[in-house]
């Protein structure tokens, strides 16, 4: 259940209230009794912390990405060659 912040515009009383989404809004202030109790706009009540959280979720599959080395600075490593394309099967 979410927690909503309410404040009375008449007396200034403020309170956080635990309510269901289907519950009606509170309108009467518990301090002064006037119908000037309104729900306040507040920030989200959670934070995402830690490493590995990306917009696309498992972006690097848990491994760190290494930058590509420019040609001539590879330290003797051969460039990767693409796999040969498969040919369609001939009609029998």
């Amino acid at each position: 259940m979410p927690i909503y912040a309410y404040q009375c515009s008449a007396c200034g009383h403020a309170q956080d209230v635990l309510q269901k989404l289907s519950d009606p809004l509170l309108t009467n202030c518990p301090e002064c009794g006037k119908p000037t109790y309104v729900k306040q706009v507040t920030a989200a009540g959670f934070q995402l912390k830690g490493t590995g959280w990306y917009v696309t979720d498992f972006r690097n599959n848990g491994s760190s990405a290494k930058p590509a080395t420019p040609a001539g600075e590879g330290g003797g490593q051969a460039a990767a060659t693409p796999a040969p394309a498969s040919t369609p099967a001939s009609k029998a």
Side-chain angles (χ1 to χ4, degrees):
M1 285 194 298
I3 299 173
Y4 296 105
Y6 283 89
Q7 185 173 12
C8 179
S9 58
C11 70
H13 174 72
Q15 180 179 5
D16 292 338
V17 180
L18 182 68
Q19 286 185 298
K20 293 181 183 177
L21 292 172
S22 60
D23 287 348
L25 296 176
L26 301 177
T27 55
N28 294 333
C29 177
E31 286 291 313
C32 66
K34 294 183 181 177
T36 55
Y37 213 42
V38 292
K39 186 167 70 168
Q40 303 293 302
V41 176
T42 58
F46 72 96
Q47 293 179 349
L48 302 175
K49 293 183 178 181
T51 60
W53 183 264
Y54 297 97
V55 174
T56 58
D57 284 332
F58 307 99
R59 181 174 170 183
N60 290 334
N61 294 331
S63 64
S64 61
K66 294 181 182 178
T69 44
E73 296 180 18
Q77 294 179 347
T81 57
S86 62
T87 57
S90 63
K91 293 183 181 178

